[in-house]
Amino acid sequence: MDEIHNSDNTLRSRVDGYGFDRSDDQHAEAIDKFMASYLSILARRASRWNNLLSSGERISKNRKLKRFCRKGIPNEHRKTMWMLLSGAEEKRKANPRTYRLLLDSQKDERVVETIALDLHRTFPENIFFSSEDGLQRPLRNVLVAASLYNPDKGYSQGLNFIAGLLLLIVKDEENVFWLMDSLMNNILPDFYSPGMEAVRAEQELLGEIIRSVSSLFKIESTMLLIWKDRELHDHIQEVGVQWCLVGTKWFMCLFADVLPTENKERLMACNNFQEMVAEIQEVIKNPKSLNCHKLMKHCFKKLGSFPTTRIEKMRQECLMRVGEQ
């Protein structure tokens, strides 16, 4: 792995552990600083996960496991836990020959061509997706097989980023295929339907949740500012940016991109559609968005309880509104 000297004449890797090129990252120093302070937290969590998985007890979906998952599954355990908790492992064992049979079956050339176009757009800054010899071929296999196995859904843009991220971590295309199948049919069964009604409803739901919590405390986020600040909301409307243009990618990619954090002034300074979209894309690089530990503590402790039953009730109301549009 190549290494370069930074301004402090210390050595750091040109690419991170997942293969993303960092050589031109202006915020690499901030990332390194955050990770240095975060390592002790990661080590403590890894120790607790090791104790849990080495205890010999059957893994069950209880409050303890939920708490552990919210705080993050260590990289070395993600494959096992994702396959187990999603139901993908059970599907794989029940259908041992399905994936290979799909790869050998007749393909829809239009779908294959669409997927081929997206292969080069999937994490172009990642060294593992730079060629057919890397993860492009497994990615194509997974996406083609998933489209064949789910003809009612086919292939949707956004699935390539999810499958790509899973390949980087799981490193086994058949397991990734079953994870994708669990996602498309069990976890988010209506997300990738042709009309994307569920995605549109989730964006409506996000807006409703933001409105619900905005009175509790002030968050300097693009989303909350749009819904809470009338002046900014009107300005965004004037330059022609709709919330769905920003939010759709987040939902379709399951937040493989970073959720932006920014202040009002920079958004108000944008004079047209192109400037506004470029600014929203740029703010994902803000160092303030790095501290995931602080963000999660903020969300779960300061916001307080937000019951699943309440969210589901709001979701159904949003689905009804979307269906009437």
Side-chain angles (χ1 to χ4, degrees):
M1 192 175 292
D2 295 336
E3 292 182 325
I4 60 173
H5 288 278
N6 63 16
S7 57
D8 295 324
N9 293 320
T10 58
L11 287 172
R12 66 175 176 83
S13 175
R14 184 177 67 85
V15 296
D16 67 14
Y18 295 105
F20 290 96
D21 192 342
R22 304 176 68 209
S23 57
D24 295 326
D25 190 349
Q26 298 177 355
H27 303 292
E29 186 175 347
I31 295 172
D32 290 341
K33 184 178 179 180
F34 166 70
M35 287 306 301
S37 65
Y38 197 49
L39 286 175
S40 61
I41 296 173
L42 293 177
R44 185 166 63 250
R45 288 179 184 168
S47 176
R48 291 174 178 174
W49 272 99
N50 289 336
N51 292 337
L52 174 68
L53 297 177
S54 63
S55 66
E57 297 180 6
R58 181 177 177 271
I59 301 298
S60 58
K61 295 182 180 180
N62 52 34
R63 292 177 65 89
K64 180 180 179 180
L65 184 63
K66 183 178 182 179
R67 186 175 73 254
F68 273 35
C69 289
R70 279 180 169 176
K71 291 184 177 182
I73 304 173
N75 189 39
E76 62 269 25
H77 300 309
R78 287 177 183 172
K79 174 183 176 180
T80 300
M81 296 309 299
W82 287 355
M83 292 292 291
L84 177 65
L85 297 176
S86 68
E89 181 65 21
E90 185 178 352
K91 288 187 176 189
R92 186 186 68 82
K93 289 181 177 179
N95 303 276
R97 300 180 62 229
T98 297
Y99 182 62
R100 290 299 160 189
L101 288 174
L102 287 168
L103 294 183
D104 293 336
S105 64
Q106 184 70 31
K107 314 293 192 303
D108 185 330
E109 290 304 319
R110 292 173 299 177
V111 174
V112 172
E113 289 175 7
T114 301
I115 290 172
L117 291 174
D118 280 349
L119 293 179
H120 300 285
R121 302 167 183 165
T122 307
F123 303 130
E125 70 281 14
N126 190 290
I127 61 172
F128 298 119
F129 287 97
S130 60
S131 69
E132 280 278 326
D133 295 331
L135 291 178
Q136 282 191 13
R137 184 180 292 108
L139 177 60
R140 182 184 60 223
N141 289 345
V142 169
L143 295 175
V144 170
S147 69
L148 286 170
Y149 201 57
N150 299 277
D152 57 323
K153 296 179 175 66
Y155 171 71
S156 300
Q157 287 186 326
L159 290 174
N160 55 316
F161 286 99
I162 301 171
L165 188 60
L166 290 173
L167 282 168
L168 285 173
I169 296 172
V170 175
K171 299 180 175 63
D172 181 292
E173 62 182 83
E174 183 173 1
N175 284 335
V176 170
F177 165 77
W178 287 114
L179 283 168
M180 293 292 290
D181 185 67
S182 292
L183 171 71
M184 296 170 68
N185 291 297
N186 303 106
I187 301 173
L188 297 172
D190 300 318
F191 239 55
Y192 301 98
S193 60
M196 296 196 303
E197 289 84 1
V199 176
R200 291 157 53 200
E202 288 300 307
Q203 294 184 77
E204 289 277 337
L205 174 60
L206 181 56
E208 291 296 322
I209 292 174
I210 292 168
R211 276 195 287 266
S212 298
V213 303
S214 63
S215 60
L216 298 178
F217 64 98
K218 182 179 179 182
I219 304 175
E220 286 191 349
S221 74
T222 302
M223 297 180 302
L224 185 55
L225 282 170
I226 290 173
W227 287 100
K228 186 180 179 183
D229 192 299
R230 188 67 192 180
E231 182 184 12
L232 179 59
H233 179 273
D234 291 344
H235 178 65
I236 290 174
Q237 292 290 101
E238 287 175 6
V239 298
V241 176
Q242 297 182 9
W243 166 245
C244 63
L245 296 178
V246 180
T248 298
K249 182 180 179 183
W250 296 339
F251 285 108
M252 293 297 290
C253 299
L254 298 189
F255 296 86
D257 246 338
V258 180
L259 192 66
T261 302
E262 192 45 71
N263 58 43
K264 171 182 175 180
E265 287 72 23
R266 290 181 63 170
L267 294 174
M268 287 295 293
C270 299
N271 297 313
N272 55 54
F273 176 89
Q274 289 79 11
E275 289 182 8
M276 182 69 72
V277 172
E279 181 60 37
I280 292 173
Q281 292 175 336
E282 181 64 24
V283 298
I284 67 172
K285 302 175 183 178
N286 192 309
K288 292 181 181 179
S289 66
L290 293 176
N291 198 324
C292 52
H293 181 62
K294 185 176 180 181
L295 174 63
M296 293 298 285
K297 287 180 67 176
H298 200 67
C299 289
F300 284 103
K301 290 189 175 181
K302 193 164 185 178
L303 281 178
S305 176
F306 208 90
T308 302
T309 52
R310 182 181 175 191
I311 294 176
E312 186 56 35
K313 182 174 183 290
M314 294 169 67
R315 178 178 286 116
Q316 293 305 316
E317 292 171 353
C318 291
L319 277 168
M320 288 181 62
R321 286 206 300 271
V322 167
E324 293 170 356
Q325 293 175 359

